[in-house]
Amino acid sequence: MKETVLDISQHVIPGLENVDVSLSFRKFISNIEDRIRNEKTVKKKFFEFVHERFTADPRFAEDIDLDEIGDFQEQLSLIYNMLVPVIADENETLWALSIPLSQTVFYETSAFHDLLTDESSGHVRCDLLREIDISIEKKQKAQMIYSFLLEKFYNIPAVHSNDLVISIRDEKTCLAKYYRLNLCTDFVEVTPKVPLPELNFDEIQQHINNDFDWSVLTKIIPLSSFSFKGFTVITLTDVTADQSVENIKNIILNPVTDTFQSYYEKIIHSLNLLVGSREISFGLLPELRVNNKLVFNDEFCTHSILVQTSFTDGINPDDFLAMADEYFGDPKIYFYKNLADALKKNDFLAVLEKTGVQSYALLPVYNAARLVGVLEVYSKTENLMDEKMLSRLEPALPLIGQLMQIGINKFDAKIEDIIREKFTSLQPAVQWKFKDVAWHYLRDNAEHLPKTPIEVIQFKDVYPLYGAVDIRNSTIERNAALHADLEVQFEALIKVLTHIKEDVGLGLADEVIFKCKKWMSKISDQTNDQDESKVMDFLEYEVYPFLHHFKESKGRLGESIKAYYELVDKESGIAFLHRNALENSMQKINSAVNLYLELFKNEIQETYPCYFEKFRTDGVEYDIYIGQAIAPDKPFNLLYLNNIRLWQLTSMAGIARIAHELIPQIEKPLETTQLIFINAGSIDISFRDDERRFDVEGSYNIRYHVIKKRIDKVHVKETGERLTQPGKIALVYFNSKSAEEYVNYIKYLQEKNMLKNDLEFLDLEELQGVAGLKALRIGVNLEGEWK
């Protein structure tokens, strides 16, 4: 044991400099006295012995100056032996005692001391928190301290564990190792020195789990208001493997840039941490296909030593692709501890002979139970790789699969971008404008440098028409379908895991069964997107890797696993029955709506050219722009606008009826709502290169865009009733004159028996930044014959 004083705290939080902190063992002694009073076993004699040694020196029950701690070696040794298992090796146990809050260590094991100090200087050589900025570190420390105080004095449950993560450079591998630092405050007495202020429990509870600035509490409840007496127990646990996997997850979830290349170095570094060696190299080889033919792209596959050496060694690319395609058709784990021996057995690896590779492994990588690529693991150091080292990679393989899927998606997106950039045709109504601008750009940049920027594609004073067809309660229906399907999936999964337990005798299956049952109890019709994501993460990262290990089993277990994978097949499995039924129903409705809108678009283009753009949501939204700027060669008259407004109202009635008639034909009965926003005046629009679409321009025009995006869930004033209702058309407006125009259209369609005689004039609740909205609401004749 060591009695060296080490200050392992960094970046003191505000308010901690002048806190009343004392080193004391009184609470520990009191705890021993309680155990003596209550203990009935032979342990009582041991507790009495310890208490006798503690009280032999009266100074040990008082506040102790750090300079005098060396006088109490026996007492400190007894504390260590009481808090640490007797059989624990002091040279391997990472354990220490420190002064409260300051993390100043005064008594530690040899292992703890050697880990945190430089051998030559004896100074602390670690960074407490992993690669985060000082502000985040201070926040975590403040959160830890105030969570403790809020729980003790205000009965607000703690939301922060007493764990931090420190990184320490390993001298042998030159790689970081991660340790979880646990601070036990059981033997710290905290006493208020002044009356404590009252706190709004609800407000604290509301913000406590979010991005709450804990340092704010230093002003409300200064730490100087308390006296801290006692000591803290520090324990370190090696979590390098867990942290390496967490690092990979963070890289994937929080990409700094959007290039696949940028991920590579950080991912490889984390894999090196996981296997504990810098002399192991990795190659990521996602399965990229174009028209179902395997391809290797430089950006995504340059890290594959097999691809690099094959294409630079004069091998026929077609022959290599054929061999690779054969492997992807029947993927297996290949591991050659001695590549020289492997070369005699497998021509597929012959291309590596000249690179100096000594050991080589190919690991198939899956995402959502589908092969997405392979992970190459190789080393040029002889006898460094073995099966045990490869097994350390298993926790990271699902994340590598996710990364490869990202790479595949990015590759596919690039192909689509090129298609859109080079071949996608523009709507005829505005194509002339793009040709003009392109000609101007070509003309102006023919001889001049630097190049002139391309003109903004803009149309001024056009009249907008907005409509939205939404599927009623789509979120509720989707959650209910998910709930029903996951119940089926978890029941089948528990059955498979039970067979694994019974046939293989693997007790670990019990833990997975327990987690499955826990998730089943959590799932409800109100399951949200976040819950769904957590369930899918559980299945993806814990269940599927576990099942994959037994996938080749025979007999009852093999049949059970096969049946489970058939059950979770996204196309035909019954675990997707409700979701597929819902999606199929929504697709049929949206297809019918889209077809009707296409007919509507073609009709209105015949009278006057206009720009018509649809957007896919759970339903369908669309924007229409009409005006002189769209067709400068054809005189514009407001009659064209009036005509298109009438057509819009008529089409909404037609869509409502079509959706109603589809109900008997779809698997899941769904209803639609119809919404129109009436904008009285004209606006300016411009083409956004980044989004490849037209959007409004100018502050007044942006207001139009904001309103149309917020009215879909607006309520009728003072009723709490949603404006949009199935079987009805809602028309939102500001200007009463606009409403009068549409009332005339409604009367005309009522004469044709398309609309009911139930017209409502409604005031709407205020939206954020929007007041004074009104609406018309009219029912559609869904059953009767139209004239």
Side-chain angles (χ1 to χ4, degrees):
M1 300 298 293
K2 303 285 186 180
E3 298 167 15
T4 309
V5 176
L6 302 174
D7 185 2
I8 62 172
S9 63
Q10 298 179 3
H11 313 310
V12 177
I13 65 172
L16 199 59
E17 301 88 346
N18 302 314
V19 179
D20 183 3
V21 177
S22 302
L23 173 60
S24 169
F25 297 93
R26 280 193 295 273
K27 188 170 183 180
F28 189 83
I29 295 172
S30 176
N31 182 273
I32 296 296
E33 291 170 349
D34 290 340
R35 297 298 299 270
I36 292 174
R37 284 191 293 270
N38 299 320
E39 190 60 56
K40 305 298 182 184
T41 68
V42 69
K43 293 180 183 178
K44 182 172 183 177
K45 292 183 178 286
F46 177 65
F47 290 140
E48 289 174 342
F49 168 76
V50 171
H51 186 266
E52 178 184 344
R53 302 311 304 156
F54 281 177
T55 55
D57 188 338
R59 294 181 303 160
F60 192 67
E62 304 296 331
D63 291 352
I64 297 175
D65 192 284
L66 198 58
D67 295 334
E68 300 175 355
I69 196 65
D71 298 341
F72 305 101
Q73 294 183 27
E74 180 186 5
Q75 292 89 334
L76 296 176
S77 178
L78 286 171
I79 291 176
Y80 169 76
N81 285 284
M82 293 189 73
L83 297 181
V84 178
V86 178
I87 62 173
D89 187 345
E90 186 255 332
N91 292 313
E92 296 180 358
T93 303
L94 301 171
W95 182 95
L97 300 179
S98 72
I99 295 175
L101 300 187
S102 69
Q103 295 177 22
T104 300
V105 172
F106 59 84
Y107 188 69
E108 68 271 14
T109 61
S110 298
F112 187 98
H113 182 274
D114 295 343
L115 181 68
L116 296 183
T117 58
D118 183 86
E119 186 176 351
S120 57
S121 67
H123 296 152
V124 174
R125 62 178 181 88
C126 69
D127 294 325
L128 274 184
L129 296 178
R130 65 179 190 278
E131 298 147 5
I132 60 176
D133 60 39
I134 295 174
S135 62
I136 295 178
E137 176 181 347
K138 289 183 177 181
K139 175 186 174 182
Q140 288 188 341
K141 289 183 178 180
Q143 186 175 358
M144 181 185 298
I145 294 170
Y146 278 100
S147 288
F148 171 68
L149 295 176
L150 290 176
E151 183 176 26
K152 182 175 180 63
F153 296 106
Y154 292 94
N155 294 320
I156 298 178
V159 297
H160 190 280
S161 67
N162 290 334
D163 289 346
L164 299 174
V165 174
I166 66 173
S167 61
I168 302 173
R169 186 172 179 269
D170 188 283
E171 297 296 334
K172 293 181 180 178
T173 66
C174 296
L175 294 170
K177 295 194 72 173
Y178 291 91
Y179 296 86
R180 180 180 295 113
L181 186 150
N182 176 265
L183 301 174
C184 174
T185 57
D186 291 350
F187 307 110
V188 177
E189 292 181 290
V190 184
T191 306
K193 299 165 66 176
V194 296
L196 296 180
E198 293 185 3
L199 292 181
N200 186 324
F201 177 85
D202 293 334
E203 183 177 348
I204 294 292
Q205 195 71 17
Q206 179 182 354
H207 295 289
I208 207 166
N209 290 318
N210 299 327
D211 191 19
F212 182 58
D213 184 3
W214 288 82
S215 61
V216 171
L217 289 175
T218 60
K219 299 177 181 179
I220 303 174
I221 317 174
L223 293 177
S224 58
S225 302
F226 301 91
S227 169
F228 298 85
K229 296 182 182 292
F231 64 92
T232 304
V233 182
I234 300 177
T235 307
L236 294 180
T237 306
D238 189 339
V239 292
T240 302
D242 294 339
Q243 192 60 46
S244 301
V245 173
E246 187 67 24
N247 288 349
I248 295 174
K249 185 183 296 186
N250 289 335
I251 293 169
I252 294 173
L253 295 178
N254 305 295
V256 177
T257 64
D258 57 0
T259 61
F260 186 77
Q261 176 78 18
S262 64
Y263 294 146
Y264 180 73
E265 294 299 332
K266 292 181 180 179
I267 293 290
I268 297 308
H269 177 69
S270 295
L271 292 176
N272 286 133
L273 292 179
L274 197 56
V275 298
S277 174
R278 297 180 65 184
E279 297 181 28
I280 301 293
S281 300
F282 301 89
L284 306 179
L285 188 58
E287 184 182 9
L288 306 177
R289 292 187 179 272
V290 176
N291 295 326
N292 206 33
K293 292 181 180 179
L294 188 67
V295 297
F296 293 119
N297 175 266
D298 287 344
E299 179 182 356
F300 299 99
C301 303
T302 51
H303 311 302
S304 167
I305 189 172
L306 195 58
V307 172
Q308 290 176 10
T309 53
S310 298
F311 287 174
T312 58
D313 206 35
I315 292 180
N316 187 310
D318 292 336
D319 293 341
F320 181 79
L321 286 170
M323 287 192 295
D325 205 22
E326 182 180 352
Y327 174 84
F328 280 113
D330 185 23
K332 297 177 182 177
I333 296 177
Y334 287 101
F335 174 44
Y336 303 98
K337 192 170 185 179
N338 189 330
L339 194 59
D341 294 339
L343 294 174
K344 301 172 186 176
K345 302 174 184 177
N346 196 325
D347 292 338
F348 190 71
L349 303 176
V351 292
L352 297 176
E353 185 175 11
K354 298 179 181 179
T355 65
V357 172
Q358 299 293 321
S359 303
Y360 184 83
L362 269 180
L363 307 179
V365 180
Y366 297 84
N367 183 60
R370 188 182 73 83
L371 182 71
V372 291
V374 294
L375 174 66
E376 292 177 291
V377 189
Y378 58 95
S379 176
K380 296 185 179 181
T381 302
E382 192 174 358
N383 296 323
L384 180 60
M385 284 173 54
D386 56 25
E387 291 82 355
K388 183 178 180 181
M389 178 174 285
L390 289 178
S391 68
R392 297 176 193 163
L393 294 170
E394 288 187 10
L397 289 181
L399 293 171
I400 298 299
Q402 190 173 341
L403 176 67
M404 288 187 175
Q405 186 62 59
I406 291 173
I408 292 171
N409 293 343
K410 286 183 177 293
F411 174 78
D412 292 341
K414 285 197 170 189
I415 297 294
E416 292 297 325
D417 287 344
I418 293 172
I419 293 173
R420 281 194 295 268
E421 179 184 352
K422 302 297 183 182
F423 307 113
T424 298
S425 60
L426 296 164
Q427 292 188 26
V430 296
Q431 193 170 21
W432 66 270
K433 183 72 171 180
F434 285 82
K435 287 183 177 180
D436 269 359
V437 169
W439 160 239
H440 296 161
Y441 180 77
L442 184 64
R443 179 195 62 195
D444 296 341
N445 289 288
E447 299 178 355
H448 302 290
L449 290 174
K451 288 185 176 295
T452 303
I454 197 165
E455 298 173 24
V456 176
I457 308 292
Q458 186 180 57
F459 295 99
K460 290 183 173 292
D461 295 320
V462 295
Y463 293 89
L465 295 93
Y466 169 77
V469 180
D470 193 26
I471 294 176
R472 186 67 162 180
N473 296 328
S474 58
T475 300
I476 295 173
E477 294 289 350
R478 186 173 283 109
N479 288 341
L482 175 66
H483 174 213
D485 285 344
L486 287 180
E487 280 194 338
V488 172
Q489 183 170 352
F490 274 118
E491 287 175 1
L493 181 57
I494 290 171
K495 181 179 178 181
V496 174
L497 293 170
T498 303
H499 288 170
I500 292 175
K501 176 186 174 184
E502 294 172 355
D503 293 1
V504 183
L506 190 65
L508 187 60
D510 264 336
E511 182 189 8
V512 185
I513 292 173
F514 169 76
K515 291 181 179 179
C516 289
K517 290 181 177 178
K518 191 174 180 181
W519 273 115
M520 284 185 70
S521 65
K522 284 185 178 180
I523 297 168
S524 68
D525 289 341
Q526 284 74 43
T527 302
N528 56 36
D529 291 343
Q530 187 176 8
D531 293 331
E532 179 183 355
S533 177
K534 290 180 180 178
V535 172
M536 296 310 166
D537 281 350
F538 167 68
L539 294 171
E540 180 72 24
Y541 300 132
E542 295 189 42
V543 174
Y544 289 147
F546 186 84
L547 289 185
H548 186 73
H549 183 73
F550 303 96
K551 197 173 183 180
E552 304 301 325
S553 300
K554 306 296 183 183
R556 183 183 75 157
L557 179 56
E559 292 296 323
S560 178
I561 293 176
K562 180 181 178 183
Y564 173 77
Y565 278 110
E566 291 175 352
L567 179 137
V568 297
D569 183 84
K570 288 187 176 181
E571 300 298 326
S572 59
I574 62 172
F576 284 85
L577 180 65
H578 296 87
R579 279 173 286 181
N580 287 342
L582 178 62
E583 291 301 323
N584 291 339
S585 300
M586 292 175 66
Q587 187 174 1
K588 285 184 179 180
I589 291 175
N590 286 330
S591 296
V593 171
N594 276 307
L595 180 59
Y596 195 95
L597 288 176
E598 282 298 314
L599 296 173
F600 169 57
K601 180 180 77 171
N602 294 335
E603 286 182 10
I604 61 177
Q605 295 288 356
E606 291 177 4
T607 57
Y608 193 90
C610 61
Y611 184 84
F612 190 111
E613 185 175 24
K614 291 181 295 184
F615 305 94
R616 175 70 186 273
T617 57
D618 279 346
V620 179
E621 298 179 30
Y622 61 86
D623 281 321
I624 304 173
Y625 301 108
I626 187 171
Q628 186 67 72
I630 299 289
D633 295 331
K634 184 175 183 177
F636 177 76
N637 190 288
L638 288 179
L639 290 175
Y640 294 121
L641 175 62
N642 298 337
N643 184 61
I644 200 173
R645 283 175 171 172
L646 174 58
W647 265 351
Q648 183 187 27
L649 183 60
T650 305
S651 70
M652 283 301 200
I655 287 171
R657 181 153 181 158
I658 288 173
H660 177 72
E661 291 173 349
L662 278 175
I663 291 177
Q665 306 172 34
I666 55 180
E667 300 169 75
K668 182 69 177 177
L670 297 171
E671 298 177 299
T672 62
T673 61
Q674 291 70 225
L675 174 67
I676 293 172
F677 176 46
I678 307 168
N679 191 74
S682 62
I683 64 172
D684 300 337
I685 61 171
S686 60
F687 187 76
R688 296 187 57 173
D689 292 333
D690 55 344
E691 297 184 12
R692 290 294 187 184
R693 66 181 183 86
F694 283 95
D695 206 348
V696 296
E697 188 173 65
S699 57
Y700 175 80
N701 299 326
I702 289 174
R703 186 167 181 264
Y704 161 78
H705 179 76
V706 170
I707 294 171
K708 75 175 187 179
K709 289 300 181 184
R710 292 180 180 172
I711 57 176
D712 62 326
K713 292 183 173 59
V714 69
H715 292 82
V716 178
K717 193 172 184 179
E718 297 180 353
T719 67
E721 178 192 16
R722 283 276 293 274
L723 170 65
T724 55
Q725 294 293 331
K728 292 179 179 289
I729 303 171
L731 303 96
V732 179
Y733 64 93
F734 274 111
N735 190 300
S736 298
K737 188 175 181 180
S738 300
E740 292 173 6
E741 178 184 344
Y742 274 88
V743 168
N744 291 328
Y745 300 152
I746 289 171
K747 290 179 179 178
Y748 168 70
L749 296 181
Q750 285 173 335
E751 285 295 319
K752 295 174 69 69
N753 205 33
M754 296 175 67
L755 300 180
K756 296 180 179 179
N757 293 316
D758 58 352
L759 179 61
E760 300 171 88
F761 294 82
L762 305 170
D763 291 328
L764 303 182
E765 66 179 4
E766 290 189 6
L767 300 175
Q768 183 180 358
V770 182
L773 284 175
K774 299 178 181 295
L776 305 174
R777 189 165 62 185
I778 185 71
V780 178
N781 186 356
L782 301 176
E783 303 288 351
E785 185 175 348
W786 291 2
K787 297 178 183 179

